[in-house]
Amino acid sequence: RVWAGKKSRHRIQTDFFEVVRLAMLRVMLVDGSIGEGELETAANIFRQVTGEIMSPEQIRADADAGQAGGGRLAAALGEVGPNLNVIGRSMVVQAALLVALADGNFGSGEQQLLEGIARGIGLTEDEFRAAIDEVMKAQDDAVAEAGRAKSED
């Protein structure tokens, strides 16, 4: 459960899915190009978070259509944030971070965008750091596990 507001569960869930989608689109575009890894990661995350399928081709089409405009994302963050609990707000930042990491380049523009997403959705600095740390620990654990599996071969 990711909501904490007074809106209907269905409305909050729909808004949450949209803000996750917009945040991922925006972070893909911040460096000026969209890599295949970012598209695949965004599609996988969207499916994991929402249970709905969005193809990499649809994500690219949405990005090309300008659906990730900064003003639209900012408005969505301000609208959705108060209706989510800290888990939901953190999930938005984590989804965007995973997409940002997917192309192997994590620049200052992506860092600033993630900080803006966190502020816009209402995460405190400590909550933001905890959300980032959780993703980075999971990434480190996955790399370590892959290394162990490879050494066992």
Side-chain angles (χ1 to χ4, degrees), residues 56-123:
E57 296 79 19
Q58 180 60 51
I59 294 168
R60 182 177 295 281
D62 288 352
D64 291 346
Q67 292 196 18
R72 185 169 178 193
L73 175 59
L77 292 168
E79 175 75 21
V80 174
N83 293 299
L84 298 177
N85 60 26
V86 70
I87 295 168
R89 292 190 306 267
S90 294
M91 286 176 71
V92 173
V93 169
Q94 290 171 331
L97 174 60
L98 287 166
V99 170
L101 295 171
D103 66 1
N105 299 314
F106 185 75
S108 62
E110 290 163 318
Q111 175 68 31
Q112 290 173 356
L113 178 58
L114 286 172
E115 290 169 357
I117 289 170
R119 278 191 307 276
I121 205 158
L123 282 178

Side-chain angles (χ1 to χ4, degrees), residues 16-31:
F16 171 69
F17 293 172
E18 178 65 0
V19 83
V20 167
R21 185 181 76 84
L22 290 172
M24 291 190 305
L25 285 170
R26 188 75 183 110
V27 80
M28 279 189 287
L29 293 168
V30 78
D31 63 4

Side-chain angles (χ1 to χ4, degrees), residues 7-18:
K7 287 184 174 181
S8 75
R9 175 180 178 240
H10 176 74
R11 184 73 220 166
I12 292 170
Q13 188 174 29
T14 301
D15 291 349
F16 171 69
F17 293 172
E18 178 65 0

